[in-house]
Amino acid sequence: MTKPGVILITTLLILMVMSVISMQVSKNFYVSLQREAYLDFKNQSYHMLINSEKQVIRNLQKEAKVRQSKLTLSDSILKNKFYYQNDLMQIEIDISDASNCFNLNSLFNKSSNAFKVRPAYRDWLIRFLELKSLSTVNIQSFIDQLVDWVDQDNQPLNFGAENYFYIGPASQTQQFTPKRLLVDLSEIQNFPIMQTLDFNEITSGLCVIPGSTKQLLNINTLISEDVLLVASFFNETNLEFTESQIFNLPKNGYDDISVFARNFSQSANYPPQVLSINSQTFSLEGIIINENFSASIKSLVILDPSNTVKIVSRTFNF
């Protein structure tokens, strides 16, 4: 009487084990297919993003020849998106003016293999951070630690930090100061003062152009979010007045920076060769989305007066 029961139980156990094995095999096979599909998508999207970036750069150069020396927000290169596609995917690329921010590298001027602080830019940065309601000590600490991060010596400034801090037991950085210009805005998170400051708040309006100490503000592409940047540039404390000047930009833009600058009482004291009616730095952002995966690219490019493009940074996200 017991043998049929034993056989039945044994059969059911065997079927159960086989079912578990089958499910595991199916799961592994599905994961393998997904992995293969992802790798295939990543490879194809990489090449498509690079090729699309080249196409957009050519359009940027072509547009630069047409518009000559002035760029406004109404220009098609900034107003319209670019679309490229093949049989499997479509990419959307947006171009924006990346000029209107304070390039932290512009604080320095390289002379005889050493980086010297430019006083006019230091004062501008101080005024900018003051408008963000940072305390005097925090402002001094941020600037001194930025200078110590870049300069060639190992002697810390009053509120600065040199090697002894970054390689000490209390530091998570565990590296010497690089003694070079910043390559990415995220580097400032290494500064000790950033433990007490909000990264997103302080970096709004700040940027880093890798390898470049140049600083331009295109008055024809200013928006309301640039009010602190413009006000601090002209040492203007009336933010409502500054914002009104941005809102009242001519539809076709200014042809002469002095016309805009004359609206500010301190215009004679601003740092030279910063204001412009054109732009040289652009941000390209492209995204690919299909049914299962997505990919994106963000590039920072510089278009010099000879219409030659230099890609100074490029980031992929798959």
Side-chain angles (χ1 to χ4, degrees):
M1 295 292 295
T2 58
K3 288 185 178 179
V6 172
I7 294 173
L8 179 59
I9 293 174
T10 302
T11 302
L12 290 174
L13 286 173
I14 292 172
L15 289 174
M16 185 182 298
V17 171
M18 291 180 65
S19 177
V20 171
I21 294 174
S22 176
M23 290 176 61
Q24 189 62 40
V25 170
S26 297
K27 180 181 178 181
N28 291 340
F29 181 68
Y30 177 76
V31 170
S32 178
L33 287 177
Q34 285 287 94
R35 184 183 296 112
E36 185 177 346
Y38 170 73
L39 291 175
D40 185 55
F41 169 80
K42 183 177 180 181
N43 181 57
Q44 291 192 45
S45 61
Y46 170 80
H47 291 288
M48 188 172 182
L49 287 168
I50 289 294
N51 291 333
S52 300
E53 179 192 64
K54 292 178 182 178
Q55 291 286 344
V56 170
I57 287 176
R58 281 195 284 268
N59 287 329
L60 186 62
Q61 292 173 304
K62 182 179 178 180
E63 181 73 16
K65 290 181 180 179
V66 174
R67 61 181 166 81
Q68 296 297 323
S69 59
K70 184 170 72 171
L71 178 70
T72 69
L73 288 173
S74 60
D75 285 335
S76 60
I77 199 71
L78 299 179
K79 197 173 182 179
N80 301 327
K81 297 181 184 294
F82 295 85
Y83 297 92
Y84 305 94
Q85 65 180 35
N86 58 21
D87 295 336
L88 299 175
M89 58 188 74
Q90 175 178 287
I91 181 172
E92 175 186 290
I93 296 186
D94 182 61
I95 300 179
S96 58
D97 183 5
S99 303
N100 296 335
C101 56
F102 187 97
N103 175 20
L104 289 176
N105 285 333
S106 70
L107 186 65
F108 305 96
N109 184 34
K110 191 171 184 179
S111 176
S112 302
N113 295 321
F115 293 105
K116 303 295 183 182
V117 175
R118 297 198 274 193
Y121 288 78
R122 182 190 182 101
D123 293 342
W124 178 14
L125 181 57
I126 290 174
R127 294 193 297 268
F128 181 64
L129 296 178
E130 285 176 342
L131 290 177
K132 288 176 174 282
S133 300
L134 268 68
S135 69
T136 301
V137 172
N138 284 345
I139 292 173
Q140 193 64 54
S141 297
F142 179 80
I143 294 178
D144 281 2
Q145 288 164 29
L146 171 59
V147 173
D148 280 340
W149 188 260
V150 173
D151 67 16
Q152 302 295 309
D153 63 53
N154 294 316
Q155 182 64 38
L157 298 174
N158 290 338
F159 296 90
E162 281 286 0
N163 293 336
Y164 74 91
F165 173 83
Y166 294 107
I167 62 174
S171 174
Q172 297 180 356
T173 307
Q174 294 298 305
Q175 70 172 67
F176 293 104
T177 53
K179 305 186 188 309
R180 54 154 174 76
L181 296 174
L182 298 172
V183 296
D184 192 87
L185 194 56
S186 62
E187 281 189 73
I188 69 171
Q189 294 185 88
N190 294 308
F191 300 169
I193 188 59
M194 292 305 297
Q195 296 176 13
T196 60
L197 300 178
D198 183 271
F199 177 79
N200 293 325
E201 182 179 344
I202 193 174
T203 55
S204 176
L206 298 179
C207 62
V208 166
I209 303 178
S212 175
T213 60
K214 292 183 178 179
Q215 175 70 62
L216 284 181
L217 294 182
N218 182 357
I219 60 176
N220 288 326
T221 58
L222 292 171
I223 57 177
S224 59
E225 285 79 359
D226 300 321
V227 61
L228 297 185
L229 189 67
V230 176
S232 58
F233 178 79
F234 286 112
N235 196 16
E236 174 62 61
T237 57
N238 189 333
L239 298 184
E240 290 185 4
F241 169 77
T242 303
E243 191 170 26
S244 70
Q245 298 307 308
I246 295 175
F247 276 128
N248 293 327
L249 290 174
K251 181 178 180 181
N252 296 322
Y254 286 100
D255 294 312
D256 186 348
I257 60 172
S258 63
V259 177
F260 177 74
R262 280 199 298 266
N263 296 323
F264 298 89
S265 59
Q266 300 293 327
S267 62
N269 301 319
Y270 61 77
Q273 299 180 332
V274 171
L275 296 183
S276 175
I277 59 174
N278 204 356
S279 299
Q280 295 182 352
T281 310
F282 298 89
S283 175
L284 314 182
E285 296 189 47
I287 184 169
I288 296 174
I289 298 178
N290 74 356
E291 187 176 347
N292 299 309
F293 308 109
S294 65
S296 63
I297 184 174
K298 184 173 183 180
S299 305
L300 188 66
V301 302
I302 296 177
L303 183 67
D304 66 24
S306 67
N307 212 22
T308 300
V309 168
K310 180 181 180 181
I311 301 174
V312 293
S313 70
R314 181 192 287 135
T315 304
F316 293 98
N317 187 20
F318 297 99

